[in-house]
Amino acid sequence: MAFDPLLGQLFQFDDEEVAANREGRLSQGQKLLFANTAKITKRQLKRSRTIMPMILIAVIVLVIFAQSRARSSSARRRAASARGTRSSAASP
């Protein structure tokens, strides 16, 4: 099968890469591409290992804050309701 330049241009490969791949090996350009991709992936993994715990802690803090606000708000409503019941019971 011959190298098709139109497909090569479309998929961004050349006849050297096709020949190397047919021999069961990577071309120099492919080796470089895979090496660079591995470096970028490792860098992103390190970054996400730092950021994800921070996000998790922030979410936990926000949930705790929201729950405490909801509890204090409902406690205030109950207290106001209890005061209203006592004052109406004291009135003749």
Coordinates of all heavy atoms in Angstrom, one line a residue:
M1 N 0.9 -1.2 0.0 CA 0.0 0.0 0.0 C 0.9 1.2 0.0 O 1.8 1.4 0.8 CB -0.9 0.0 1.2 CG -1.9 1.1 1.3 SD -3.0 0.8 2.7 CE -4.3 1.8 2.2
A2 N 0.6 2.2 -0.9 CA 1.4 3.4 -1.0 C 1.0 4.4 -0.1 O -0.2 4.5 0.4 CB 1.3 3.9 -2.5
F3 N 1.9 5.3 0.2 CA 1.6 6.5 1.1 C 0.7 7.5 0.3 O 1.0 7.9 -0.8 CB 2.9 7.2 1.5 CG 2.7 8.5 2.2 CD1 2.3 8.5 3.5 CD2 3.0 9.7 1.6 CE1 2.1 9.6 4.2 CE2 2.8 10.9 2.3 CZ 2.3 10.8 3.6
D4 N -0.4 7.9 0.9 CA -1.3 8.8 0.4 C -1.0 10.2 1.0 O -1.3 10.4 2.2 CB -2.7 8.4 0.6 CG -3.8 9.3 0.0 OD1 -3.4 10.3 -0.5 OD2 -5.0 8.9 0.0
P5 N -0.5 11.1 0.2 CA -0.2 12.4 0.8 C -1.4 13.2 1.3 O -1.3 14.0 2.2 CB 0.5 13.2 -0.4 CG 0.7 12.2 -1.5 CD -0.1 11.0 -1.2
L6 N -2.5 13.0 0.7 CA -3.8 13.7 1.2 C -4.1 13.2 2.6 O -4.4 14.0 3.4 CB -4.9 13.5 0.2 CG -6.2 14.2 0.5 CD1 -6.0 15.7 0.6 CD2 -7.3 13.8 -0.4
L7 N -4.1 11.9 2.8 CA -4.4 11.4 4.1 C -3.3 11.8 5.1 O -3.5 12.1 6.3 CB -4.5 9.9 4.1 CG -5.8 9.3 3.5 CD1 -5.7 7.8 3.5 CD2 -7.0 9.7 4.3
G8 N -2.0 11.8 4.6 CA -0.9 12.2 5.5 C -1.1 13.7 5.9 O -0.8 14.0 7.1
Q9 N -1.5 14.5 5.0 CA -1.7 15.9 5.4 C -2.9 16.0 6.4 O -2.9 16.8 7.3 CB -2.0 16.8 4.2 CG -2.2 18.2 4.4 CD -2.4 19.0 3.1 OE1 -2.7 18.4 2.1 NE2 -2.4 20.3 3.2
L10 N -4.0 15.3 6.1 CA -5.2 15.3 6.9 C -4.9 14.8 8.3 O -5.3 15.5 9.3 CB -6.3 14.4 6.3 CG -7.6 14.4 7.0 CD1 -8.3 15.8 7.0 CD2 -8.5 13.4 6.4
F11 N -4.1 13.7 8.5 CA -3.8 13.2 9.8 C -2.5 13.6 10.4 O -2.0 13.1 11.4 CB -4.0 11.7 9.8 CG -5.4 11.2 9.6 CD1 -5.8 10.7 8.4 CD2 -6.3 11.3 10.6 CE1 -7.1 10.3 8.2 CE2 -7.6 10.9 10.4 CZ -8.0 10.4 9.2
Q12 N -1.8 14.5 9.7 CA -0.5 15.0 10.1 C 0.6 14.0 10.3 O 1.2 13.9 11.4 CB -0.7 15.9 11.3 CG -1.6 17.1 11.1 CD -1.8 17.9 12.3 OE1 -1.4 17.6 13.4 NE2 -2.5 19.0 12.2
F13 N 0.8 13.2 9.3 CA 1.9 12.2 9.3 C 2.6 12.2 7.9 O 2.0 12.7 6.9 CB 1.5 10.8 9.7 CG 0.5 10.2 8.8 CD1 0.9 9.4 7.7 CD2 -0.8 10.3 9.1 CE1 0.0 8.8 6.9 CE2 -1.8 9.6 8.2 CZ -1.3 8.9 7.1
D14 N 3.8 11.7 7.9 CA 4.5 11.7 6.6 C 5.0 10.3 6.2 O 4.7 9.3 7.0 CB 5.7 12.7 6.6 CG 6.7 12.3 7.7 OD1 6.7 11.2 8.2 OD2 7.5 13.2 8.0
D15 N 5.6 10.1 5.1 CA 6.0 8.8 4.6 C 7.0 8.1 5.5 O 7.1 6.9 5.7 CB 6.5 8.8 3.2 CG 7.6 9.8 2.9 OD1 7.8 10.6 3.8 OD2 8.2 9.7 1.8
E16 N 7.9 8.9 6.2 CA 8.8 8.4 7.1 C 8.1 7.7 8.3 O 8.5 6.6 8.8 CB 9.8 9.5 7.7 CG 10.8 9.0 8.7 CD 11.4 10.1 9.5 OE1 11.5 11.3 9.0 OE2 11.8 9.9 10.6
E17 N 7.1 8.4 8.8 CA 6.3 7.8 9.9 C 5.6 6.5 9.5 O 5.6 5.5 10.3 CB 5.3 8.8 10.5 CG 6.0 10.0 11.2 CD 5.0 11.1 11.6 OE1 4.0 11.2 11.0 OE2 5.4 11.7 12.6
V18 N 5.0 6.5 8.3 CA 4.4 5.3 7.8 C 5.3 4.2 7.7 O 5.1 3.0 8.1 CB 3.6 5.6 6.5 CG1 3.1 4.3 5.9 CG2 2.5 6.6 6.7
A19 N 6.5 4.4 7.1 CA 7.5 3.4 7.0 C 8.0 2.8 8.3 O 8.1 1.6 8.5 CB 8.7 3.9 6.2
A20 N 8.2 3.7 9.3 CA 8.6 3.3 10.6 C 7.5 2.4 11.3 O 7.8 1.4 11.9 CB 9.0 4.5 11.5
N21 N 6.3 2.9 11.1 CA 5.1 2.2 11.8 C 4.9 0.8 11.1 O 4.6 -0.2 11.8 CB 3.9 3.0 11.7 CG 3.9 4.3 12.5 OD1 3.1 5.2 12.3 ND2 4.8 4.4 13.4
R22 N 5.2 0.7 9.8 CA 5.1 -0.6 9.2 C 6.1 -1.6 9.6 O 5.9 -2.8 9.6 CB 5.2 -0.4 7.6 CG 3.9 0.1 7.0 CD 3.9 0.2 5.6 NE 2.7 0.7 5.0 CZ 2.6 1.4 3.9 NH1 3.6 1.6 3.1 NH2 1.4 1.9 3.5
E23 N 7.3 -1.0 10.1 CA 8.4 -1.9 10.6 C 8.1 -2.2 12.1 O 9.0 -2.8 12.7 CB 9.7 -1.2 10.4 CG 10.1 -1.0 9.0 CD 11.4 -0.2 8.8 OE1 12.0 0.2 9.8 OE2 11.7 0.1 7.6
G24 N 7.1 -1.6 12.7 CA 6.7 -1.9 14.1 C 7.5 -1.0 15.0 O 7.6 -1.3 16.2
R25 N 7.9 0.2 14.6 CA 8.6 1.1 15.5 C 8.0 2.5 15.3 O 7.2 2.8 14.4 CB 10.1 1.1 15.2 CG 10.5 1.5 13.8 CD 12.0 1.4 13.6 NE 12.3 1.7 12.2 CZ 12.5 3.0 11.8 NH1 12.4 4.0 12.6 NH2 12.8 3.2 10.5
L26 N 8.4 3.4 16.2 CA 8.0 4.8 16.1 C 9.0 5.6 15.4 O 10.2 5.4 15.5 CB 7.8 5.4 17.5 CG 6.7 4.7 18.4 CD1 6.8 5.3 19.8 CD2 5.3 4.9 17.8
S27 N 8.6 6.6 14.7 CA 9.5 7.6 14.1 C 10.0 8.5 15.2 O 9.5 8.6 16.3 CB 8.8 8.4 13.0 OG 7.8 9.3 13.6
Q28 N 11.1 9.3 14.8 CA 11.7 10.2 15.8 C 10.6 11.2 16.2 O 10.5 11.6 17.4 CB 12.9 10.9 15.2 CG 14.1 10.0 15.1 CD 14.5 9.4 16.4 OE1 14.4 8.2 16.6 NE2 15.0 10.3 17.3
G29 N 9.8 11.7 15.3 CA 8.8 12.7 15.6 C 7.7 12.1 16.6 O 7.3 12.8 17.5
Q30 N 7.4 10.9 16.3 CA 6.4 10.2 17.2 C 7.0 10.0 18.6 O 6.3 10.2 19.6 CB 5.9 8.9 16.6 CG 5.1 9.1 15.4 CD 4.8 7.8 14.7 OE1 5.6 6.9 14.7 NE2 3.6 7.7 14.0
K31 N 8.2 9.6 18.7 CA 8.9 9.4 20.0 C 8.9 10.8 20.8 O 8.6 10.8 22.0 CB 10.3 8.9 19.8 CG 10.4 7.5 19.4 CD 11.9 7.1 19.2 CE 12.0 5.7 18.6 NZ 13.4 5.3 18.4
L32 N 9.2 11.8 20.1 CA 9.3 13.2 20.7 C 7.9 13.6 21.2 O 7.7 14.1 22.3 CB 9.9 14.2 19.7 CG 10.0 15.6 20.2 CD1 11.0 15.6 21.4 CD2 10.5 16.5 19.1
L33 N 6.9 13.3 20.3 CA 5.5 13.7 20.7 C 5.1 12.9 21.9 O 4.5 13.5 22.8 CB 4.6 13.4 19.5 CG 3.1 13.6 19.7 CD1 2.8 15.1 19.9 CD2 2.3 13.0 18.6
F34 N 5.3 11.6 22.0 CA 5.0 10.8 23.2 C 5.7 11.3 24.4 O 5.1 11.3 25.5 CB 5.2 9.3 22.9 CG 4.1 8.7 22.1 CD1 4.4 8.1 20.9 CD2 2.8 8.8 22.4 CE1 3.4 7.5 20.1 CE2 1.8 8.2 21.6 CZ 2.1 7.5 20.5
A35 N 7.0 11.6 24.2 CA 7.8 12.1 25.4 C 7.2 13.4 25.9 O 7.1 13.6 27.2 CB 9.2 12.2 25.0
N36 N 6.9 14.3 25.0 CA 6.4 15.6 25.5 C 5.0 15.4 26.1 O 4.7 16.1 27.1 CB 6.3 16.6 24.3 CG 7.6 17.1 23.9 OD1 8.6 17.1 24.6 ND2 7.7 17.5 22.6
T37 N 4.2 14.6 25.6 CA 2.9 14.3 26.1 C 3.0 13.7 27.5 O 2.2 14.1 28.5 CB 2.1 13.3 25.2 OG1 1.9 13.9 23.9 CG2 0.7 13.1 25.8
A38 N 3.9 12.8 27.7 CA 4.2 12.2 29.1 C 4.6 13.3 30.1 O 4.1 13.3 31.2 CB 5.2 11.1 29.0
K39 N 5.5 14.2 29.7 CA 5.9 15.3 30.5 C 4.7 16.2 31.0 O 4.6 16.6 32.1 CB 7.0 16.2 29.9 CG 8.3 15.5 29.8 CD 9.3 16.4 29.0 CE 10.6 15.8 28.7 NZ 11.5 16.6 28.0
I40 N 3.9 16.6 30.0 CA 2.8 17.4 30.3 C 1.8 16.7 31.2 O 1.3 17.3 32.2 CB 2.1 17.9 29.0 CG1 3.0 18.8 28.2 CG2 0.7 18.5 29.2 CD1 2.5 19.1 26.8
T41 N 1.6 15.4 31.0 CA 0.6 14.7 31.8 C 1.2 14.6 33.2 O 0.4 14.8 34.2 CB 0.4 13.3 31.2 OG1 -0.1 13.4 29.9 CG2 -0.5 12.5 32.1
K42 N 2.4 14.4 33.4 CA 3.0 14.3 34.8 C 2.9 15.6 35.5 O 2.6 15.7 36.7 CB 4.5 13.9 34.7 CG 4.7 12.4 34.4 CD 6.1 12.1 34.3 CE 6.3 10.6 33.9 NZ 7.8 10.3 33.8
R43 N 3.1 16.7 34.8 CA 3.0 18.1 35.3 C 1.6 18.3 35.8 O 1.3 18.9 36.9 CB 3.5 19.1 34.3 CG 3.8 20.4 34.9 CD 4.4 21.4 33.9 NE 5.3 20.9 33.0 CZ 5.2 21.1 31.6 NH1 4.3 21.9 31.2 NH2 6.0 20.5 30.8
Q44 N 0.6 18.0 34.9 CA -0.8 18.2 35.3 C -1.2 17.3 36.4 O -2.0 17.8 37.3 CB -1.7 17.9 34.1 CG -1.5 19.0 33.0 CD -2.3 18.6 31.7 OE1 -2.7 17.5 31.5 NE2 -2.5 19.7 30.9
L45 N -0.7 16.1 36.5 CA -1.0 15.2 37.6 C -0.5 15.8 38.9 O -1.2 15.8 40.0 CB -0.4 13.9 37.4 CG -0.8 12.8 38.4 CD1 -2.3 12.5 38.5 CD2 0.0 11.5 38.1
K46 N 0.7 16.3 39.0 CA 1.2 17.0 40.2 C 0.4 18.1 40.6 O 0.1 18.3 41.8 CB 2.7 17.4 39.9 CG 3.7 16.4 39.9 CD 5.1 16.9 39.6 CE 6.1 15.8 39.5 NZ 7.4 16.4 39.2
R47 N 0.0 18.9 39.6 CA -0.9 20.1 39.9 C -2.2 19.7 40.5 O -2.7 20.3 41.4 CB -1.0 20.9 38.6 CG -1.5 22.3 38.9 CD -1.6 23.1 37.6 NE -0.3 23.2 36.9 CZ -0.1 23.2 35.6 NH1 -1.2 23.1 34.8 NH2 1.1 23.2 35.1
S48 N -2.8 18.7 39.9 CA -4.1 18.3 40.4 C -4.0 17.6 41.7 O -5.0 17.7 42.5 CB -4.8 17.3 39.4 OG -4.1 16.1 39.3
R49 N -2.9 17.0 42.1 CA -2.8 16.4 43.4 C -2.7 17.5 44.4 O -3.0 17.3 45.6 CB -1.5 15.6 43.5 CG -1.6 14.3 42.8 CD -0.3 13.5 43.0 NE -0.4 12.2 42.3 CZ 0.6 11.5 41.9 NH1 1.8 11.9 42.2 NH2 0.4 10.4 41.3
T50 N -2.3 18.7 44.1 CA -2.3 19.9 45.0 C -3.6 20.5 45.0 O -4.1 20.9 46.1 CB -1.2 20.9 44.5 OG1 0.0 20.2 44.4 CG2 -1.1 22.0 45.4
I51 N -4.3 20.7 43.9 CA -5.5 21.5 43.8 C -6.7 20.7 44.4 O -7.6 21.3 45.1 CB -5.7 22.0 42.4 CG1 -4.7 23.0 42.0 CG2 -7.1 22.6 42.2 CD1 -4.7 23.4 40.6
M52 N -6.8 19.5 44.1 CA -8.0 18.7 44.4 C -8.2 18.7 46.0 O -9.4 18.8 46.4 CB -7.9 17.3 43.9 CG -8.1 17.2 42.3 SD -9.6 18.1 41.8 CE -10.9 17.0 42.3
P53 N -7.2 18.4 46.8 CA -7.5 18.5 48.2 C -7.9 19.8 48.7 O -8.8 20.0 49.6 CB -6.1 18.1 48.9 CG -5.4 17.3 47.8 CD -5.9 17.9 46.5
M54 N -7.4 20.9 48.1 CA -7.9 22.3 48.4 C -9.3 22.5 48.1 O -10.1 23.0 48.9 CB -7.0 23.3 47.7 CG -5.6 23.4 48.1 SD -4.8 24.5 47.0 CE -3.3 24.9 47.9
I55 N -9.7 22.0 47.0 CA -11.1 22.1 46.6 C -12.0 21.3 47.5 O -13.1 21.7 47.9 CB -11.3 21.6 45.1 CG1 -10.7 22.6 44.2 CG2 -12.8 21.5 44.8 CD1 -10.6 22.2 42.7
L56 N -11.6 20.1 47.9 CA -12.4 19.2 48.8 C -12.5 19.9 50.1 O -13.6 19.9 50.7 CB -11.7 17.9 48.9 CG -12.4 16.9 49.8 CD1 -13.7 16.5 49.3 CD2 -11.5 15.6 50.0
I57 N -11.5 20.5 50.7 CA -11.5 21.2 51.9 C -12.5 22.4 51.9 O -13.3 22.6 52.8 CB -10.1 21.6 52.4 CG1 -9.3 20.4 52.8 CG2 -10.2 22.6 53.6 CD1 -7.8 20.6 53.0
A58 N -12.4 23.1 50.8 CA -13.3 24.3 50.6 C -14.8 23.8 50.6 O -15.6 24.5 51.2 CB -12.9 25.0 49.3
V59 N -15.0 22.7 49.9 CA -16.4 22.3 49.8 C -16.9 21.8 51.2 O -18.0 22.2 51.6 CB -16.6 21.1 48.8 CG1 -17.9 20.4 48.9 CG2 -16.4 21.6 47.4
I60 N -16.1 21.1 51.9 CA -16.4 20.7 53.3 C -16.7 21.9 54.2 O -17.7 21.9 54.9 CB -15.4 19.8 53.9 CG1 -15.3 18.4 53.1 CG2 -15.6 19.6 55.4 CD1 -14.1 17.6 53.5
V61 N -15.9 22.9 54.1 CA -16.1 24.1 54.9 C -17.4 24.8 54.5 O -18.1 25.2 55.4 CB -14.9 25.1 54.8 CG1 -15.2 26.4 55.3 CG2 -13.6 24.5 55.4
L62 N -17.7 24.9 53.3 CA -18.9 25.5 52.8 C -20.1 24.8 53.3 O -21.1 25.4 53.7 CB -18.9 25.7 51.3 CG -18.0 26.8 50.7 CD1 -18.0 26.7 49.2 CD2 -18.4 28.1 51.2
V63 N -20.1 23.4 53.2 CA -21.2 22.6 53.7 C -21.4 22.8 55.2 O -22.6 23.0 55.7 CB -21.0 21.2 53.4 CG1 -22.0 20.3 54.1 CG2 -21.1 20.9 51.8
I64 N -20.4 22.8 56.0 CA -20.5 23.0 57.4 C -21.0 24.4 57.7 O -21.9 24.6 58.6 CB -19.1 22.8 58.1 CG1 -18.7 21.3 58.0 CG2 -19.1 23.3 59.5 CD1 -17.3 21.0 58.5
F65 N -20.5 25.4 57.0 CA -21.0 26.8 57.2 C -22.5 26.9 56.9 O -23.3 27.5 57.6 CB -20.2 27.7 56.3 CG -20.6 29.2 56.4 CD1 -20.4 29.9 57.5 CD2 -21.3 29.7 55.4 CE1 -20.8 31.2 57.6 CE2 -21.8 31.1 55.4 CZ -21.5 31.8 56.6
A66 N -22.9 26.3 55.8 CA -24.3 26.3 55.4 C -25.2 25.6 56.4 O -26.3 26.1 56.7 CB -24.5 25.7 54.0
Q67 N -24.8 24.5 56.9 CA -25.5 23.8 57.9 C -25.7 24.6 59.2 O -26.7 24.6 59.8 CB -24.9 22.4 58.2 CG -25.1 21.4 57.1 CD -24.5 20.1 57.4 OE1 -23.7 20.0 58.3 NE2 -25.0 19.0 56.7
S68 N -24.6 25.2 59.6 CA -24.6 26.0 60.8 C -25.6 27.2 60.7 O -26.3 27.5 61.6 CB -23.2 26.4 61.3 OG -22.7 27.4 60.4
R69 N -25.6 27.8 59.5 CA -26.5 28.9 59.3 C -27.9 28.5 59.3 O -28.8 29.2 59.8 CB -26.1 29.6 58.0 CG -24.8 30.3 58.0 CD -24.7 31.6 57.4 NE -25.9 32.3 57.1 CZ -26.0 33.6 56.9 NH1 -24.9 34.3 57.1 NH2 -27.1 34.2 56.6
A70 N -28.2 27.3 58.7 CA -29.5 26.8 58.6 C -30.0 26.5 60.0 O -31.2 26.7 60.4 CB -29.6 25.6 57.7
R71 N -29.2 25.9 60.8 CA -29.5 25.5 62.2 C -29.8 26.7 63.0 O -30.8 26.8 63.8 CB -28.4 24.7 62.9 CG -28.4 23.3 62.4 CD -27.4 22.5 63.1 NE -27.3 21.1 62.5 CZ -26.2 20.4 62.5 NH1 -25.1 20.9 63.0 NH2 -26.2 19.2 62.0
S72 N -29.0 27.8 62.9 CA -29.2 29.0 63.7 C -30.4 29.7 63.3 O -31.2 30.3 64.1 CB -28.0 29.9 63.7 OG -27.8 30.4 62.4
S73 N -30.7 29.7 62.0 CA -31.9 30.3 61.5 C -33.2 29.6 62.0 O -34.1 30.3 62.4 CB -31.9 30.3 59.9 OG -33.1 30.8 59.4
S74 N -33.2 28.3 61.9 CA -34.3 27.6 62.4 C -34.5 27.7 63.9 O -35.6 27.8 64.4 CB -34.3 26.1 62.0 OG -33.3 25.4 62.7
A75 N -33.4 27.8 64.7 CA -33.5 28.0 66.1 C -34.1 29.4 66.4 O -34.9 29.5 67.3 CB -32.1 27.9 66.7
R76 N -33.7 30.4 65.6 CA -34.3 31.7 65.8 C -35.8 31.7 65.6 O -36.5 32.4 66.3 CB -33.6 32.7 64.9 CG -32.3 33.3 65.5 CD -31.7 34.4 64.7 NE -30.6 33.7 64.0 CZ -30.2 33.9 62.8 NH1 -30.8 34.8 62.0 NH2 -29.2 33.3 62.2
R77 N -36.2 31.0 64.5 CA -37.6 30.9 64.2 C -38.4 30.2 65.3 O -39.5 30.7 65.7 CB -37.8 30.2 62.9 CG -37.6 31.1 61.7 CD -38.1 30.4 60.4 NE -37.5 29.1 60.3 CZ -36.6 28.8 59.3 NH1 -36.2 29.7 58.5 NH2 -36.0 27.6 59.3
R78 N -37.8 29.2 65.8 CA -38.5 28.5 66.9 C -38.6 29.3 68.2 O -39.6 29.4 68.9 CB -37.7 27.2 67.3 CG -38.0 26.0 66.3 CD -37.5 24.7 66.9 NE -36.1 24.8 67.2 CZ -35.1 24.3 66.4 NH1 -35.4 23.5 65.4 NH2 -33.8 24.4 66.8
A79 N -37.5 30.1 68.5 CA -37.5 31.0 69.6 C -38.6 32.1 69.4 O -39.3 32.4 70.4 CB -36.2 31.6 69.9
A80 N -38.6 32.6 68.2 CA -39.6 33.7 68.0 C -41.0 33.1 68.1 O -41.9 33.8 68.6 CB -39.4 34.3 66.6
S81 N -41.2 31.9 67.6 CA -42.5 31.3 67.6 C -42.9 31.0 69.1 O -44.1 31.2 69.5 CB -42.5 30.0 66.8 OG -43.7 29.3 67.0
A82 N -42.0 30.6 69.9 CA -42.2 30.3 71.3 C -42.6 31.6 72.0 O -43.5 31.6 72.8 CB -41.0 29.6 71.9
R83 N -41.9 32.7 71.7 CA -42.2 33.9 72.3 C -43.6 34.4 72.0 O -44.3 34.9 72.8 CB -41.1 35.0 71.9 CG -39.9 35.0 72.8 CD -39.0 36.1 72.5 NE -37.9 35.5 71.6 CZ -37.5 36.0 70.5 NH1 -38.0 37.1 70.0 NH2 -36.6 35.4 69.8
G84 N -43.9 34.2 70.7 CA -45.3 34.6 70.2 C -46.4 33.8 70.9 O -47.4 34.3 71.2
T85 N -46.1 32.6 71.1 CA -47.1 31.7 71.8 C -47.3 32.1 73.3 O -48.4 32.2 73.8 CB -46.7 30.2 71.7 OG1 -46.5 29.9 70.3 CG2 -47.7 29.3 72.3
R86 N -46.1 32.4 73.9 CA -46.2 32.8 75.3 C -46.9 34.1 75.5 O -47.7 34.3 76.4 CB -44.8 32.9 75.9 CG -44.3 31.5 76.4 CD -43.0 31.7 77.1 NE -41.9 31.2 76.2 CZ -40.7 31.8 76.1 NH1 -40.4 32.8 76.8 NH2 -39.9 31.3 75.2
S87 N -46.6 35.1 74.6 CA -47.2 36.4 74.8 C -48.7 36.3 74.5 O -49.5 37.0 75.1 CB -46.5 37.4 73.9 OG -46.7 37.1 72.5
S88 N -49.2 35.5 73.5 CA -50.6 35.4 73.2 C -51.3 34.6 74.3 O -52.5 34.9 74.6 CB -50.8 34.7 71.9 OG -50.4 33.4 71.9
A89 N -50.6 33.7 75.0 CA -51.3 33.0 76.1 C -51.4 33.9 77.3 O -52.3 33.7 78.1 CB -50.4 31.7 76.5
A90 N -50.5 34.8 77.5 CA -50.5 35.7 78.7 C -51.6 36.8 78.5 O -52.1 37.3 79.4 CB -49.2 36.4 78.9
S91 N -52.0 37.1 77.3 CA -53.0 38.1 77.0 C -54.4 37.6 77.3 O -54.7 36.4 77.0 CB -53.0 38.6 75.5 OG -51.7 39.0 75.2
P92 N -55.3 38.4 77.8 CA -56.7 37.9 78.2 C -57.5 37.9 77.0 O -57.5 38.1 75.9 CB -57.2 38.9 79.2 CG -56.3 40.1 79.2 CD -55.0 39.7 78.4

